[in-house]
Amino acid sequence: MLTQFISRKRVTVLAAFMASALSVGHAQAKVEEVHFLVPGGAGGGWDSTARGIGEALSKSELVDKISYENMSGGGGGKAIAYLIKTAEQSQDTLMVNSTPIIIRSLSNVFPQSFRDLTPVAATVGDFGAFVVAKDSPYHSFTELAEAYKKDPRSVSVAGGSARGSMDHLVAALAFKAAGGEPRKLKYLAYDAGGKAMAGLLSGETQVLSTGLSEALSLAEAGEIRILAMTGDARSTAAPDVPTLKELGYDATFVNWRGFFGAPGLSDEQADEFADVLKKMYETKAWETVRDRYGWTEIYKPRKEFMAFLEQQEKEVGGLMRELGFLK
């Protein structure tokens, strides 16, 4: 009887220990709070990324409390400056950003760069896309490229940001790959992607350079046609849209989106943020969000993310110099 009692007691103690260990492991897998700082207005790519990932983290119960703050201004510089200024009080903050932090830093739109923050992780990528209205005479990117090579000024390309910005550079990259002169691109700058899309639909411009995810809903509604996208392979979210590469143009581009912490964020907390973002990819909630926006997964945790940023800075800087935006 004593032997059976001791045996049962050991089993009970072992079960309690295992339950405790699992509980601790679960706690370590979670983050108590994340405050997402969005350097632009509602409805843009940064906003949808922060809110989509926040939705996945919340529904999968990986984060207990999530909040959002939109802070437009200075091409994203206002939010960057704010995060640096309030670093000590912003240890639970993740600021979303993307390729423009490289471009605008190189262009001196703001004095800071990614080196002034704590890179946490790249999370998703959105490919560039070239869009026309449903009644456009252009039915393929090849037709568009041929028209551009004959007379660059006959093709006006709109984007939701200033000259020398990502939308402009991606279009220049594509026409350069097609054999056109990239410096002759007639680029019409709008101050938001939605306004650029409205300009396309109203006939103010013939072509829109934008993100694939931002074009999908209107394409599905039949309002626009997507001529080509800049991925290495076709997107499952838009299987009928060809890549530039398959059309014979050696050009690819992905606009990464990722998260930065405040300067001075501890390695422990930065790792915790990176780990919880990695766990998100395994959830059903994330699959729903990812497929909704047509994003591709490009998870790059801290050191890998920093190396990626440094390499992109070199590549984008080279293209900007070639186009005359940098000396």
Side-chain angles (χ1 to χ4, degrees):
M1 293 290 292
L2 181 60
T3 303
Q4 289 178 345
F5 173 76
I6 293 173
S7 178
R8 284 198 300 272
K9 186 173 182 181
R10 281 176 177 168
V11 170
T12 303
V13 170
L14 179 60
F17 174 79
M18 290 178 68
S20 175
L22 287 171
S23 176
V24 170
H26 182 63
Q28 288 176 341
K30 294 184 71 172
V31 169
E32 184 176 336
E33 182 174 359
V34 173
H35 178 67
F36 286 108
L37 178 61
V38 180
W46 285 333
D47 187 64
S48 62
T49 301
R51 293 178 188 275
I53 286 178
E55 174 188 327
L57 291 171
S58 178
K59 287 186 175 179
S60 58
E61 300 183 348
L62 289 170
V63 176
D64 291 329
K65 182 181 178 182
I66 291 175
S67 56
Y68 306 91
E69 180 179 4
N70 292 82
M71 186 176 294
S72 301
K78 182 178 179 180
I80 294 172
Y82 174 81
L83 185 57
I84 293 171
K85 182 178 180 180
T86 63
E88 290 186 7
Q89 298 81 42
S90 302
Q91 300 299 293
D92 62 350
T93 297
L94 287 179
M95 184 187 71
V96 62
N97 221 294
S98 56
T99 308
I101 196 173
I102 302 284
I103 297 171
R104 291 166 186 168
S105 176
L106 289 170
S107 304
N108 291 319
V109 172
F110 44 72
Q112 304 91 352
S113 78
F114 60 85
R115 294 179 181 84
D116 297 302
L117 304 168
T118 301
V120 171
T123 51
V124 297
D126 187 18
F127 301 112
F130 301 99
V131 175
V132 295
K134 61 182 179 181
D135 56 353
S136 168
Y138 299 114
H139 294 276
S140 70
F141 187 84
T142 301
E143 292 177 357
L144 181 65
E146 290 303 313
Y148 183 87
K149 286 191 289 184
K150 288 179 182 177
D151 180 10
R153 305 303 293 174
S154 70
V155 177
S156 59
V157 180
S161 45
R163 284 182 56 79
S165 64
M166 187 177 66
D167 291 340
H168 188 175
L169 293 175
V170 172
L173 179 68
F175 286 121
K176 176 188 174 185
E181 170 50 61
R183 288 186 179 227
K184 294 183 178 179
L185 178 64
K186 184 180 178 182
Y187 178 79
L188 303 181
Y190 290 79
D191 62 6
K195 292 182 180 180
M197 184 68 78
L200 177 73
L201 295 175
S202 69
E204 292 177 5
T205 185
Q206 297 160 296
V207 185
L208 175 63
S209 173
T210 188
L212 178 62
S213 65
E214 295 177 32
L216 287 177
S217 59
L218 282 177
E220 290 170 0
E223 294 295 317
I224 59 170
R225 288 184 280 113
I226 306 174
L227 300 183
M229 51 86 79
T230 62
D232 284 312
R234 293 195 184 200
S235 169
T236 55
D240 296 330
V241 178
T243 68
L244 292 175
K245 285 186 72 173
E246 72 180 84
L247 296 176
Y249 309 122
D250 187 17
T252 60
F253 179 84
V254 61
N255 175 28
W256 59 268
R257 291 179 185 152
F259 294 94
F260 296 81
L265 187 70
S266 70
D267 288 342
E268 181 182 5
Q269 190 158 1
D271 285 339
E272 190 176 55
F273 282 139
D275 288 345
V276 82
L277 288 168
K278 183 178 181 181
K279 287 183 178 296
M280 176 192 70
Y281 291 107
E282 303 168 4
T283 68
K284 289 290 185 183
W286 166 246
E287 289 182 16
T288 300
V289 170
R290 178 197 62 202
D291 294 346
R292 180 195 308 157
Y293 290 104
W295 290 330
T296 187
E297 296 173 358
I298 55 167
Y299 178 74
K300 298 180 188 297
R302 303 185 56 211
K303 289 183 179 179
E304 191 178 341
F305 187 25
M306 176 62 88
F308 172 79
L309 292 168
E310 291 171 344
Q311 181 61 32
Q312 188 180 59
E313 186 179 53
K314 292 178 183 177
E315 294 174 355
V316 169
L319 180 60
M320 292 176 72
R321 289 182 185 89
E322 183 178 345
L323 295 175
F325 293 114
L326 292 179
K327 293 182 179 179

